[in-house]
Amino acid sequence: MNTNQLKYFLSLVQTRNITQTANQLFVAPSTVSKNIHKLETFLGMKLIKPGRRGIELTASGEFFYIKAKRIYADINETVTDIKNSNLRATEPITIAFTGSLFEIEFLSKFIQNLDSKLQSRINLEIFDPNDGNDISTSLIQGKYDFVLYQKDFFIDKKEINFEPVFSTGLSVIASKKNPISKNKSLKIKDLSKQEVYIWNSIPPLPLINHFKFELTLKYPEFDFKSISDEVVLEIFCATNRCLGIVPSILYDKVNENLNFILLNYNISFANGIAYRKGYEKKEYFQQVFTALKHAELSEKSTWID
């Protein structure tokens, strides 16, 4: 899934017509159709269907539209503001993040807290946690200056330093239609009669693997499935098809269809900032690094707690 596919989908929702969307975006109708098809294939579900007045959304399409519209608008606004700066420096500072709503919120605060000279040097890039070792390689080779993620992803990378900022546990995603969503916290035994998907990246995060291994030993009767795309998981949960288990940092506080419930399980994920060794010698390192930490902690106190 990429931003072009989201753009075509969001436009199609407005026009209800592939040809009108193509004209609006100055592409061929076949380009629109192919990108919508690729998006549906990636998500594993139909988003649109023929209707009396043109294209209509399926039930899954309605849920995805709410999510896609917000993500696309937030990312576009943040990235565009930075790219349009008239003070571009010869040596930009590139910060890679996963595109979670929490990260988008605190990165906005981070940029606001920097002085104007450093604001103009910031580039933001979204990376896919399922891109394998490309994230670490890109950081080591200097494509990224900072990567915002979880500590255990970099645990075997000797060329990378990681500064933890805060820790979170796991949360259960549930449709508000599901009675279980009324709970403030849940235990594994509370999920035994539900269909449950556990999120993990590809390659997997070691702590999630450890969690799944413990489940098989301690709760052999507990049946769960794996999934690597958090957006797809939210759509499944919103339709009350299943429950999801994710790191609490993926909490979506503005989703009107879902509740995120704390999972009472002894596991802790260190979230923070990764950078290649030696990078701390850069003259601007401490200012950017400190601003990142302050913004992240400030947003965490209102977002996750």
Side-chain angles (χ1 to χ4, degrees), residues 232-290:
V232 175
L233 178 57
E234 282 199 22
I235 294 173
F236 285 170
C237 293
T239 58
N240 206 16
R241 166 177 170 178
C242 64
L243 300 175
I245 298 178
V246 299
S248 294
I249 195 172
L250 295 178
Y251 170 49
D252 182 351
K253 67 177 181 180
V254 295
N255 195 309
E256 297 179 353
N257 302 297
L258 299 172
N259 278 339
F260 284 67
I261 308 128
L262 177 67
L263 180 65
N264 191 358
Y265 195 91
N266 186 25
I267 190 170
S268 179
F269 296 88
N271 302 280
I273 306 164
Y275 58 93
R276 62 188 178 279
K277 288 184 177 179
Y279 189 73
E280 65 273 15
K281 297 177 182 178
K282 295 280 188 180
E283 60 178 352
Y284 51 77
F285 173 86
Q286 198 57 53
Q287 185 178 356
V288 174
F289 185 74
T290 301

Side-chain angles (χ1 to χ4, degrees), residues 32-49:
V32 177
S33 298
K34 287 178 182 178
N35 275 274
I36 297 298
H37 177 69
K38 287 180 180 179
L39 182 60
E40 291 180 324
T41 301
F42 175 79
L43 295 173
M45 61 185 68
K46 293 292 291 182
L47 299 176
I48 62 173
K49 61 183 180 181

Side-chain angles (χ1 to χ4, degrees), residues 4 11 25 51 53 69-70 164 183 204 211 228 278 285:
N4 270 340
S11 175
L25 300 177
R53 298 182 179 180
K69 182 171 63 172
R70 188 170 70 248
N183 292 275
F211 168 64
S228 62
F285 173 86

Side-chain angles (χ1 to χ4, degrees), residues 35 93-94 103 105 150 158 176 188 275-276 288 290:
N35 275 274
I93 302 164
T94 302
E103 290 173 332
E105 290 291 329
Q150 294 174 186
K158 297 180 179 180
K176 290 184 177 180
I188 292 296
Y275 58 93
R276 62 188 178 279
V288 174
T290 301

